[in-house]
Amino acid sequence: MSRIGKLPIIIPENVNVSLEDDYIFVKGKEGELKKKLVEEIKFTLKKENNRSILLISKNKQDNKTNELYGLYRTLINNMIIGVNNKFTKYLELKGVGYRSQLENKTLTLNLGYSHPIKFEVPDSINIEIENNTIIKISGIDKELVGEVAARIRNFRSPEPYKGKGIHYQGEYIKLKAGKTGKK
């Protein structure tokens, strides 16, 4: 049984959570998110000590419900955190001549290929470029921020010999030894 699913979600004062039909709506200072709920899990809003708390319980006792129990608690908690404070990921470009530019909602990457790569940024994602080699990706949806970062990183994954490519800030790349010369 999930221990994460048992924990109540404490809702901050500046975040509004509402349950309507089969959806949960979360609204905060950064924006609004909604998610379709499943019928195996029951959600209850309570007020305790001048705080709003969201409780999660199971309607059934089977494997699928146990899997969804902790998952939905984490997804909804991430929605609440995202509308209160945005999620951010940083990507670094390492390599000679690797650089990036942002024009309107198009990210242009020069990664050593014969042509520049153009990436259309989704509407709910903000991208900022710092000194042409650091890309800051931010947004209220944690899943979308991670997906955009992974798609950009996939254009030129770090290679294991010199460490060239796009990698997450703080990511450790274990380098392999190169060829040795003949004697």
Side-chain angles (χ1 to χ4, degrees):
M1 187 157 129
S2 174
R3 293 183 187 149
I4 295 172
K6 291 180 184 179
L7 299 174
I9 300 173
I10 298 171
I11 302 167
E13 292 179 10
N14 54 353
V15 175
N16 294 330
V17 176
S18 61
L19 299 166
E20 297 173 15
D21 299 327
D22 292 340
Y23 288 92
I24 184 166
F25 294 92
V26 181
K27 189 173 186 177
K29 63 182 179 184
E30 299 292 342
E32 182 177 357
L33 292 172
K34 77 174 185 175
K35 182 145 196 78
K36 185 163 177 48
L37 302 176
V38 292
E39 62 188 33
E40 290 93 350
I41 299 169
K42 181 182 170 190
F43 298 90
T44 311
L45 275 170
K46 274 187 165 181
K47 282 260 192 197
E48 288 183 12
N49 301 332
N50 297 329
R51 294 189 312 190
S52 295
I53 296 176
L54 182 66
L55 299 173
I56 302 170
S57 59
K58 296 186 272 187
N59 289 336
K60 298 180 188 175
Q61 289 293 335
D62 61 344
N63 287 340
K64 182 182 179 190
T65 305
N66 287 339
E67 293 168 359
L68 294 174
Y69 187 47
L71 173 70
Y72 265 81
R73 193 256 180 223
T74 304
L75 291 175
I76 292 170
N77 192 40
N78 285 341
M79 289 169 60
I80 291 170
I81 293 170
V83 297
N84 202 15
N85 309 319
K86 289 186 174 185
F87 291 103
T88 58
K89 286 207 179 242
Y90 291 91
L91 295 175
E92 293 180 6
L93 280 64
K94 289 216 173 159
V96 176
Y98 288 12
R99 62 181 188 268
S100 58
Q101 293 176 317
L102 185 65
E103 295 176 17
N104 299 330
K105 279 287 196 175
T106 303
L107 179 67
T108 305
L109 300 165
N110 293 326
L111 302 173
Y113 296 120
S114 61
H115 59 285
I117 297 170
K118 298 195 182 291
F119 177 75
E120 292 295 323
V121 180
D123 290 333
S124 60
I125 296 293
N126 296 328
I127 289 188
E128 297 173 20
I129 306 292
E130 298 171 9
N131 59 336
N132 292 337
T133 58
I134 296 176
I135 303 171
K136 178 184 176 185
I137 303 165
S138 62
I140 60 174
D141 189 358
K142 185 175 186 177
E143 182 180 352
L144 188 59
V145 169
E147 181 183 343
V148 168
R151 287 175 55 200
I152 292 172
R153 183 182 187 270
N154 204 25
F155 290 133
R156 178 72 92 171
S157 297
E159 53 96 13
Y161 294 101
K162 292 183 180 177
K164 291 171 39 174
I166 302 174
H167 58 86
Y168 297 109
Q169 192 172 41
E171 180 183 12
Y172 176 72
I173 308 292
K174 186 175 181 183
L175 299 180
K176 293 182 179 180
K179 292 182 180 180
T180 56
K182 291 186 177 185
K183 292 185 179 181

